[in-house]
Amino acid sequence: MDRQVVFSLTVLVALCGLVGNDVICWLLYSQVWSSPYVTYILNLATVDMVNLSCVTVILLEKILMLYHQAALQVAVFLDPVSYFSDTVGLCLLVAISTERCVCVLFPIWYRCHRPKYTSNVVCTLIWGLPFCINIVKSLFLTYWKHVKACVIFLKLSGLFHAILSLVMCVSSLTLLIRFLCCSQQQKATRVYAVVQIL
């Protein structure tokens, strides 16, 4: 009974997330935005919808299995899609945080030298790289069934995710430090101005 409650609540949250991402996509598609981050956010909302759809279907199947032993076993097909969407989402978050970090640290260079279609090219690469990784993973696990190669691949995949997480943490921490330093400088400038007036 506890599993049923947890699965049901997770499905409810996932459905709310689907609605939220759908609203974001609709708002961004219906408005004209000039920010380079719109492409990233649209791709992130799309990949979130794919992931949440997979999670919803997998959990609904698990709820069904609580009552009936036989199931469609759709999780076998949707687990790789969910893993793929997780990887794409993480890569998109890294791209957003890294580009934001470059924008804040080097604002003049960013405005003058950033190519116009950088977001589109980066998003294409982000969708392509995990897709190729998943195909190789499927070949190793399903067709070749090479145990050592599978273990090496899983370790490399874990390392890849760890590097992505590290890059995102470093860029976010850099932005936080820059924000705190700038806010302290602004406070110091205001105090110095008040002292001069007095």
Side-chain angles (χ1 to χ4, degrees), residues 118-192:
T118 301
S119 300
N120 294 330
V121 172
V122 170
C123 286
T124 304
L125 291 173
I126 284 174
W127 281 93
L129 181 62
F131 183 74
C132 295
I133 290 173
N134 268 338
I135 287 180
V136 173
K137 178 186 173 187
S138 299
L139 288 172
F140 275 129
L141 294 176
T142 309
Y143 296 106
W144 295 334
K145 295 181 180 176
H146 197 278
V147 178
K148 288 185 179 178
C150 291
V151 171
I152 291 171
F153 179 82
L154 290 173
K155 287 181 179 178
L156 289 175
S157 180
L159 181 65
F160 177 67
H161 280 78
I163 290 171
L164 288 177
S165 301
L166 181 65
V167 170
M168 189 168 58
C169 289
V170 167
S171 59
S172 299
L173 187 63
T174 304
L175 285 174
L176 179 64
I177 292 170
R178 178 64 185 259
F179 173 76
L180 291 175
C181 290
C182 287
S183 62
Q184 286 179 355
Q185 285 176 358
Q186 286 177 352
K187 286 178 183 177
T189 304
R190 287 175 188 167
V191 169
Y192 182 68

